[in-house]
Amino acid sequence: MPAMSPPLAVAVLASGRGSNLEALIQAQQDGRLPVHFTLVASNKTTAPALRLAEEHGIASLALDPAGYASRHDYDVELLRRIADSGAQCVVLAGFMRVLDGEAIAPWHGRIINIHPSLLPKYRGLHTHRKALAAGDREHGASVHYVTAELDGGPVIAQSRIEIAPDDTEDSLADRLLAHEHRLLPATLDLIARGRVALEATGITLDGQLLVQPLSLQGEQAGTVK
Ligand code: GRF
């Protein structure tokens, strides 16, 4: 895998609202994230994330899966366009599609995703509902490397919150989102600086094998330990 060094060329995939994309752009503009954005792409032509990219002068691409014979064909084309943008790394920030294993193989160790659960708990959708239904005392978000397995790749970093007795699915989602907005830029920062990488043996931080995911501590915005 080519070494990653700042400023890292990053493409972002988003299907919807784009608040995590916004957090990345904000961090980059504030000088907290040594990346430049080569492309924001979406499977939804009306995704607010695309408008957000345009407002910030970032190239945007709406690629409708309806025009492709298979998921594989679509994903190959999407990743070809991403490679053409010059991206070295891809961030899935609310991208609501499973990517084809063969299509993402060349990007192994260079695609990350943010998922609103403490993986390996609650892969897939409705994670807040699942945490409440299970009677969990805590919930969280994870940033992980993407593999062919849905929400199944190695976890780099997590952020935890307590579940309050009166929490609802919406209140939990809202509170967690604020943590996601710190977790994703902080994790990407470690990758951009070449401090975190996916090696054959597992994830490393400053060359040392991680034995458990890094955790984003409390209110220390942007600090992953
Ligand atoms: C976030 O909760 C993220 O964890 C999940 O999808 C949501 C996207 O939100 N994968 P936004 O589009 O970034 O606002």
Side-chain angles (χ1 to χ4, degrees):
M1 188 195 315
M4 307 239 216
S5 55
L8 186 67
V10 172
V12 180
L13 292 179
S15 299
R17 169 176 66 176
S19 70
N20 277 288
L21 169 65
E22 193 168 13
L24 291 173
I25 294 172
Q26 195 63 57
Q28 190 262 349
Q29 289 180 350
D30 293 350
R32 287 182 284 123
L33 184 58
V35 303
H36 71 93
F37 299 104
T38 62
L39 184 69
V40 171
S42 184
N43 56 317
K44 301 275 185 199
T45 49
T46 57
L50 292 175
R51 306 290 89 75
L52 186 69
E54 287 155 15
E55 281 164 28
H56 287 275
I58 301 167
S60 65
L61 167 70
L63 200 61
D64 187 352
Y68 294 83
S70 67
R71 185 157 65 89
H72 174 266
D73 288 0
Y74 175 82
D75 292 348
V76 166
E77 177 61 10
L78 180 62
L79 288 162
R80 188 186 67 76
R81 302 281 283 265
I82 287 171
D84 285 353
S85 78
Q88 299 164 280
C89 176
V90 181
V91 176
L92 309 188
F95 188 62
M96 305 307 281
R97 284 174 62 87
V98 178
L99 289 166
D100 177 82
E102 207 179 293
I104 59 169
W107 292 86
H108 182 73
R110 298 191 294 139
I111 302 194
I112 61 169
N113 177 44
I114 181 152
H115 181 73
S117 81
L118 291 172
L119 290 171
K121 278 187 161 183
Y122 316 135
R123 295 177 185 182
L125 298 173
H126 310 304
T127 57
H128 316 299
R129 190 186 305 170
K130 288 172 185 167
L132 288 171
D136 290 353
R137 305 278 297 275
E138 65 169 8
H139 189 40
S142 306
V143 177
H144 65 95
Y145 285 106
V146 174
T147 61
E149 198 183 340
L150 176 66
D151 301 323
V155 178
I156 307 165
Q158 293 181 319
S159 192
R160 290 167 188 272
I161 61 172
E162 278 181 22
I163 297 181
D166 60 348
D167 260 323
T168 63
E169 211 175 320
D170 286 348
S171 69
L172 204 49
D174 280 355
R175 277 197 300 120
L176 186 61
L177 195 61
H179 291 259
E180 292 184 36
H181 294 164
R182 297 199 292 271
L183 180 66
L184 185 57
T187 309
L188 185 59
D189 177 62
L190 291 173
I191 293 171
R193 292 178 198 278
R195 296 188 57 197
V196 159
L198 183 59
E199 312 283 356
T201 47
I203 298 173
T204 56
L205 171 67
D206 298 332
Q208 301 288 316
L209 201 61
L210 272 192
V211 290
Q212 59 183 30
L214 298 164
S215 65
L216 185 76
Q217 303 295 343
E219 295 309 306
Q220 287 171 269
T223 306
V224 172
K225 289 189 187 168

